[in-house]
Amino acid sequence: MSDSTTSTPNKKGRAAQTATITVGALAVMNIVAVVSLRGLPAEAEYGLSSIFYYVFAAIVFLIPVSIVAAELATGWPETGGVFRWVGEAFGPRWAFLAMFMLFIEVTFWFPTVLTFGAVSLAYTGTDQSLDAQLSGNKAFVLAVVLIVYWLATFIAFRGAAAFSKVAQWGGIIGTLIPAAILIVLGFAYFFAGNTPQIELGWGELIPDFSNFANVVLAASIFLFYAGMEMNAIHVKDVKNSNRNYPLAVLIAAAGTVVIFVLGTLAIAFVVPQADINLTQSLLTSYNDMFEWAGLGWAGPIVAGMLLIGVLAGVVTWVAGPSSGLLAVAKAGYLPRFWQYTNKHGMGTHILLFQAMLVTALGIVYVVLPSVQAAYQILSQLTVILYLIMYLLMFAAAMYLRYSQPHRPRPYRVPGGAAGMWIFGGVGFLGSLMAFAFSFIPPDQIAVGSPLTYVGILVGGAAVLVTVPFVIYALRKPHWRDPDTVFVPFTWQLENKHPGIVNESSVATPDLTRQWEEQTPGTPGGDSAGPQPDAGPAGGSTKA
């Protein structure tokens, strides 16, 4: 966050950041970035067996993502995140695919999270029956989705100083505090002797694997844990990052699992399984708990807090991936039209394009048979696209152990090469499993024709994966901004190829420093950033 670091100009005219983020601060930032309460009702349907799903997903996805991203972020800490990591392993074509998947999946995610915001707004009324009717009204949902999203976009236009404050305080007010209230009231309800709405017993912890359809909806839990790698961009701002970055990530991972497990059980204790609605149950759970506690007046307040949390999350994700895509665009991967920035340094044309796309997606809520069906289809498409990015990230981490075996990595996945195969391999296979399950229609939701459901997902994913390859193939040398400060990949700086083993043991920051010293004048000079057609010595960069 912008107020977590201080900076002084270096001889190149850039800001040299001083590490000021503590373990606790980074852990909270990660928790706020990952935790969302909107998906808890979907898992509450599984009762105690939801614990199995959360723990399983944490083992095969969250923990691998956390520690693999820690190695990648400390080994290749320059700007770019997953774009840089994948590009170091497989070259710019696949890196652009990873970056495009991140940008487009979050675009599809916006309508789903904003649907939750619309429901939160509906439940700020005093009549629950009218609130429920309003929350299911397609016109109301669409109006809220568009109004809140465009508001978030205009906040993002104001730059980091504006959106970082909204994200920080909105995350605390709209996510962490409501999560604490939900858990405290839900377990107070249970320990007060009320009959829980789920079966209790050790046998209930193991899911009914004979009903394969149950696993389909549970596969979406992987996206609950997505985002832990996002704050890897702050690795340089962490005090004693070699030790504290992975420690903060592991603390955040444990805290995330605890919040999800206890929050889901709190809902399951109070709301009957048959009454669970993916877009409404969280609000009805709060209302039921408040009525039981004699605090009926508090329901609308928490609903308003949840809406603030939605706005904070949307502002964060509007600004983050769009800024990453802007940096990639300036490095020569998108036409100059997409590189336009306002006085705050925000990519105006990218943000407006994303806003128009979200607006068009909002119309889906009018076309599909129900808000729940639209919610589920867009949620699953989001999962599919995000998992493609994670598959590339895990594959890159494993491949870099062989293509750049001696590159210094201040933090390494424990266990040497075998450890990387275990953690990276488990993460890859877990992501692949969730990817496959995401195409299977769930029994719990009426999504119209199963064939149509699968067709939308397959067709949508195929088109969106094809787009970045087409853009990459059409790229032109003049697309690259000569003033870009995007540091070249290490294999470019050393005149190598991503497909060839590089025995260099020079640390990435040292290579960057050498490049800066050898590139006088404007930041980047003639060799800054990945060249659209050639590396520093003119060799092909196509992987």
Side-chain angles (χ1 to χ4, degrees), residues 164-397:
S164 63
K165 291 182 180 179
V166 174
Q168 181 178 10
W169 291 105
I172 294 172
I173 295 171
T175 299
L176 297 185
I177 293 177
I181 294 173
L182 178 70
I183 293 169
V184 169
L185 287 180
F187 278 83
Y189 175 90
F190 173 70
F191 288 121
N194 293 282
T195 302
Q197 300 297 329
I198 58 173
E199 295 292 332
L200 301 180
W202 291 109
E204 299 297 325
L205 289 171
I206 307 301
D208 179 13
F209 291 110
S210 63
N211 186 358
F212 180 75
N214 284 340
V215 183
V216 176
L217 192 59
S220 62
I221 198 173
F222 280 72
L223 194 63
F224 289 11
Y225 289 137
M228 193 65 78
E229 80 289 346
M230 290 297 292
N231 280 319
I233 61 174
H234 297 298
V235 66
K236 287 184 173 182
D237 306 323
V238 179
K239 296 178 180 178
N240 190 13
S241 62
N242 298 354
R243 170 186 177 274
N244 290 341
Y245 178 83
L247 177 61
V249 166
L250 292 176
I251 292 173
T256 299
V257 172
V258 169
I259 291 174
F260 280 150
V261 168
L262 298 185
T264 298
L265 291 180
I267 294 175
F269 287 155
V270 178
V271 182
Q273 185 179 25
D275 294 341
I276 289 179
N277 177 295
L278 298 190
T279 56
Q280 299 174 4
S281 287
L282 182 62
L283 281 304
T284 56
S285 298
Y286 276 111
N287 287 336
D288 291 345
M289 292 176 188
F290 285 135
E291 287 297 330
W292 167 78
L295 302 171
W297 52 267
I301 296 176
V302 170
M305 293 171 67
L306 291 171
L307 182 59
I308 293 174
V310 168
L311 177 62
V314 171
V315 168
T316 300
W317 286 89
V318 165
S322 63
S323 297
L325 187 62
L326 175 64
V328 171
K330 287 178 174 290
Y333 293 94
L334 287 176
R336 289 296 185 90
F337 174 83
W338 302 106
Q339 301 175 26
Y340 179 81
T341 58
N342 61 15
K343 64 181 180 180
H344 301 289
M346 301 303 294
T348 307
H349 290 173
I350 290 176
L351 287 171
L352 287 174
F353 169 75
Q354 189 175 47
M356 289 186 289
L357 188 55
V358 170
T359 300
L361 288 171
I363 306 302
V364 171
Y365 290 101
V366 178
V367 176
L368 291 179
S370 73
V371 170
Q372 278 210 91
Y375 183 95
Q376 180 63 20
I377 290 176
L378 288 182
S379 293
Q380 291 305 103
L381 188 56
T382 298
V383 172
I384 290 166
L385 300 177
Y386 213 159
L387 287 172
I388 291 173
M389 188 213 75
Y390 279 118
L391 288 169
L392 289 168
M393 188 191 83
F394 284 121

Side-chain angles (χ1 to χ4, degrees), residues 61-70 225 227-229 390 393-394 427:
F61 185 73
L62 177 62
I63 292 176
V65 164
S66 301
I67 63 175
V68 166
Y225 289 137
M228 193 65 78
E229 80 289 346
Y390 279 118
M393 188 191 83
F394 284 121

